[in-house]
Amino acid sequence: MLNVTSIWAIYRREMKRAFGTLVQTILSPVLTTSLYFIVFGSAIGSHIGKIDGVDYGAFLVPGLIMLTVLQQSVANASFGIYFPRFTGSIYEVLSAPISYWEVLIGYVGAAATKAMILALLILATSAFFVPLRIEYPLVMVLFLVLTCVTFSMLGFLIGILAGNWEQLQMAPLIIITPLVFLGGAFYELKMLPPFWQNVSLFNPVLYLVSGFRWSFYGAGDVPIAASLGMITLFMAICIVAVWRIFATGYRLKP
Amino acid sequence: MPLIEIQNVSKTYVGGHQALDDVSLDIEKGEILALLGPNGAGKTTLINIVCGLVTHTDGRILLDGRDVTAEYRQTRRDIGLVPQEMPLDPFDKLIDNVAFSRRLFGLPHAPDRIEAILRDLSLWDKRDNRLLTLSGGMKRRVLIAKALAHEPKVLFLDEPTAGVDVELRRSTWDVVRRLRDSGVTVILTTHYLEEAEEIADRVAVIDKGRIQLVQDKDVMMRSLGAKKLIVELQAPIERLSDDLAARGFELEPCGARAVVSYDPSEADGLAAAALAAFAAAGVAVRDISTEQSTLEEIFVGLIGDANKGASS
């Protein structure tokens, strides 16, 4: 039976930590995203025109939300588990009557929740800058939840595997940001030369951005089924990786 | 039935270092057991295995008849751990941190219980302080408070008074005694043999991953602790008479004290016979006293004997 009290204790503590650092956790990403809208959406976007009948500013919204969600999910979850590893206070979690999977639910649940709150804040902020429409709100929510949970799990893995602070910060920086920037967050796939279009198809984030954009405007770079398939595959890979770590106790239990 | 049964437990770390070698130990309910041993003896590994922080290679551990690995959900609720280091989240408020520990172990929030623990450990006045602002001694007490927050039956203290001042050490001993009196079983590791001598009911000596001896502390002190009879002389002499030397007396370099070691179980009439022998030798005695070996001397002797045995 699930140890709900213990899971809730971890979840609550992680959420409290986020609200304790409100500027870093909430305001900073919202401000950054607003700047993107001003610079790319208004200043540059006014010279680009419409993409598939959508204003460039509005076209940016799903990509910017994805950029923030991926970065924040990974950053929050990796910090959440790495910090107690760093201070040593992880001993308490590991000696509690709670399974590894329950620990995962607590940390990943909190990181995913924070990322979702951010996504909704950015969505609300974008409404001030661009005309928004969401054609498939349920698909949007489904995509958002799956993406937040999956990448929070990836962050959890990074937090367990990281050997120092530099590794912890480098992983999102050198993996997530390039993948999102090259995954169609700011452009449509067919804007690229054919060679780079083919290369981009190997970028898993392209499928996430495309699927999320499809839920807004009914069009994407790849079919929605491919996007859903990719996020499901990503989640499965993360679950297997987490399971291996838990099974062996790697970096957790000597 | 013992509260904790450690049965043939071994631990070999990745890399080949064997930290524990076929360790068996029973811990009775309501006792204070001191686990003594030099650095690297395996004390912390043993504690961490019982608490679920380290995986053992062989053997098994039962708490109240339950396997601590297979039935960890039940057993870990009954175990509290005060680790050797001070692993605390520096930005947490003290009271929040302790309350978190209670919830983490599956118990509902109980402000009254948390307050009682913090008051008992003289931490209540600091409850709203961030942990990073507390002194080392206070942080150590916070760790004890966290370990007690879920009302464990067994408390493991890994070097609980390392690096704290004498006053705090004594107050920690008081806390440990009160816990024992309230029915909590306490297992502590320590480098301070004085600590074990002061508060332990039983002592287990571990070295090189093996239990060397487990005994009631007082029995150990009586059986292994040689006593000394010390005779202070009125005036220094150059040598003892043959009779006194035959009785085992040795003259200290200053010439004013003669000392003989004896078995406490065969001590009847020893002092009177000694006084008579000194009188017969024409040596005036100013004072006579006895001295018991400390636990530290016993411990050093035991480890020394074990090392000699291993090297021969």
Side-chain angles (χ1 to χ4, degrees):
Chain A
M1 194 175 146
L2 216 56
N3 187 343
V4 179
T5 312
S6 302
I7 295 171
W8 181 242
I10 294 173
Y11 180 89
R12 196 166 168 268
R13 179 186 167 93
E14 287 302 302
M15 291 304 289
K16 202 172 173 186
R17 195 201 303 278
F19 289 108
T21 54
L22 208 61
V23 172
Q24 183 195 329
T25 313
I26 306 283
L27 291 183
S28 173
V30 170
L31 181 67
T32 307
T33 312
S34 300
L35 290 172
Y36 274 119
F37 279 124
I38 294 166
V39 174
F40 289 99
S42 303
I44 298 173
S46 58
H47 298 285
I48 293 179
K50 295 187 182 238
I51 297 176
D52 285 339
V54 180
D55 282 337
Y56 184 65
F59 175 86
L60 277 181
V61 174
L64 284 179
I65 291 176
M66 263 306 155
L67 173 68
T68 307
V69 158
L70 297 191
Q71 284 177 333
Q72 292 298 315
S73 297
V74 170
N76 286 330
S78 60
F79 180 83
I81 190 69
Y82 182 76
F83 189 63
R85 276 187 60 221
F86 176 74
T87 62
S89 59
I90 191 76
Y91 86 89
E92 195 173 21
V93 173
L94 297 177
S95 63
I98 178 170
S99 72
Y100 282 143
W101 292 104
E102 289 162 342
V103 171
L104 180 81
I105 292 170
Y107 280 107
V108 166
T113 305
K114 282 183 264 183
M116 274 188 274
I117 290 170
L118 271 176
L120 296 176
L121 278 172
I122 291 168
L123 195 62
T125 307
S126 66
F128 288 104
F129 296 96
V130 293
L132 263 185
R133 73 168 202 271
I134 302 171
E135 289 195 11
Y136 304 101
L138 286 180
V139 176
M140 189 210 81
V141 171
L142 175 69
F143 237 95
L144 192 60
V145 171
L146 286 175
T147 307
C148 289
V149 170
T150 303
F151 279 80
S152 294
M153 238 189 290
L154 177 65
F156 187 84
L157 282 167
I158 291 169
I160 288 177
L161 297 175
N164 54 48
W165 286 103
E166 191 184 13
Q167 288 175 9
L168 189 77
Q169 287 164 344
M170 286 305 279
L173 200 66
I174 64 169
I175 299 172
I176 303 299
T177 306
L179 287 181
V180 179
F181 271 79
L182 301 173
F186 299 98
Y187 55 84
E188 203 180 14
L189 187 63
K190 55 190 177 202
M191 289 173 164
L192 294 175
F195 173 77
W196 290 108
Q197 283 187 37
N198 290 330
V199 170
S200 293
L201 289 174
F202 290 96
N203 178 359
V205 174
L206 173 85
Y207 297 82
L208 307 185
V209 173
S210 171
F212 199 52
R213 188 171 283 135
W214 183 90
S215 72
F216 278 71
Y217 307 119
D221 291 320
V222 292
I224 182 66
S227 296
L228 282 169
M230 183 56 79
I231 188 67
T232 307
L233 177 68
F234 231 69
M235 184 179 259
I237 291 170
C238 286
I239 289 173
V240 170
V242 168
W243 171 75
R244 279 305 300 158
I245 283 181
F246 287 171
T248 57
Y250 183 68
R251 296 257 189 184
L252 290 173
K253 193 188 273 196
Chain B
M1 184 177 73
L3 183 63
I4 300 175
E5 297 166 73
I6 298 170
Q7 300 173 347
N8 309 106
V9 168
S10 296
K11 171 66 185 176
T12 305
Y13 285 104
V14 175
H17 170 63
Q18 184 164 27
L20 295 176
D21 180 11
D22 198 28
V23 168
S24 293
L25 178 66
D26 287 344
I27 298 164
E28 302 297 332
K29 188 177 178 183
E31 72 170 337
I32 299 177
L33 176 82
L35 199 52
L36 292 178
N39 283 333
K43 306 185 294 290
T44 299
T45 297
L46 184 59
I47 282 185
N48 285 346
I49 287 174
V50 180
C51 295
L53 295 173
V54 171
T55 313
H56 50 294
T57 320
D58 284 308
R60 67 172 188 163
I61 298 163
L62 304 178
L63 172 69
D64 251 347
R66 295 174 191 269
D67 188 300
V68 299
T69 305
E71 298 176 82
Y72 70 92
R73 283 189 191 276
Q74 288 79 30
T75 58
R76 288 189 195 171
R77 281 183 200 280
D78 293 333
I79 297 174
L81 169 65
V82 180
Q84 192 172 340
E85 308 297 329
M86 289 206 246
L88 291 166
D89 188 335
F91 306 112
D92 273 8
K93 272 181 14 180
L94 192 163
I95 193 162
D96 292 345
N97 195 274
V98 176
F100 167 73
S101 298
R102 183 178 170 86
R103 290 197 192 97
L104 184 64
F105 277 71
L107 296 185
H109 186 42
D112 294 348
R113 174 71 190 158
I114 301 295
E115 181 178 343
I117 292 170
L118 295 185
R119 285 192 185 283
D120 198 34
L121 291 162
S122 307
L123 288 169
W124 181 245
D125 292 344
K126 301 284 183 186
R127 62 189 178 280
D128 291 322
N129 285 38
R130 304 252 171 228
L131 293 174
L132 63 90
T133 66
L134 301 181
S135 68
M138 281 183 186
K139 284 178 184 165
R140 210 163 271 288
R141 274 184 280 161
V142 172
L143 288 171
I144 296 176
K146 285 165 70 65
L148 295 177
H150 64 279
E151 302 164 44
K153 285 182 190 171
V154 185
L155 184 66
F156 286 92
L157 297 134
D158 198 358
E159 305 278 355
T161 58
V164 304
D165 60 38
V166 174
E167 190 183 346
L168 184 58
R169 188 178 302 166
R170 294 205 169 273
S171 76
T172 304
W173 293 349
D174 289 341
V175 170
V176 171
R177 285 194 196 96
R178 285 203 300 276
L179 284 169
R180 190 262 313 271
D181 294 344
S182 68
V184 176
T185 304
V186 179
I187 296 97
L188 64 92
T189 71
T190 180
H191 277 124
Y192 300 111
L193 296 157
E194 177 200 2
E195 187 162 274
E197 192 171 349
E198 183 74 24
I199 59 174
D201 299 313
R202 281 199 310 153
V203 175
V205 178
I206 184 170
D207 187 37
K208 294 185 173 67
R210 303 197 76 142
I211 295 285
Q212 304 291 340
L213 179 82
V214 185
Q215 206 160 48
D216 179 276
K217 180 192 68 185
D218 295 329
V219 173
M220 178 191 277
M221 302 254 329
R222 276 199 301 274
S223 61
L224 292 176
K227 274 192 125 177
K228 289 177 184 169
L229 179 71
I230 301 156
V231 180
E232 292 194 32
L233 311 179
Q234 285 285 6
I237 57 174
E238 287 186 5
R239 59 180 291 274
L240 290 169
S241 67
D242 292 343
D243 176 44
L244 286 170
R247 289 172 184 271
F249 276 99
E250 289 179 9
L251 190 64
E252 290 194 347
C254 65
R257 272 161 56 109
V259 180
V260 64
S261 295
Y262 67 94
D263 182 345
S265 63
E266 298 168 3
D268 288 350
L270 179 73
L275 284 173
F278 274 92
V283 180
V285 172
R286 189 173 68 185
D287 195 9
I288 187 165
S289 62
T290 61
E291 199 173 82
Q292 172 93 49
S293 298
T294 63
L295 195 52
E296 182 156 5
E297 288 163 337
I298 297 170
F299 176 69
V300 169
L302 271 174
I303 297 299
D305 289 347
N307 289 343
K308 272 183 211 161
S311 61
S312 61

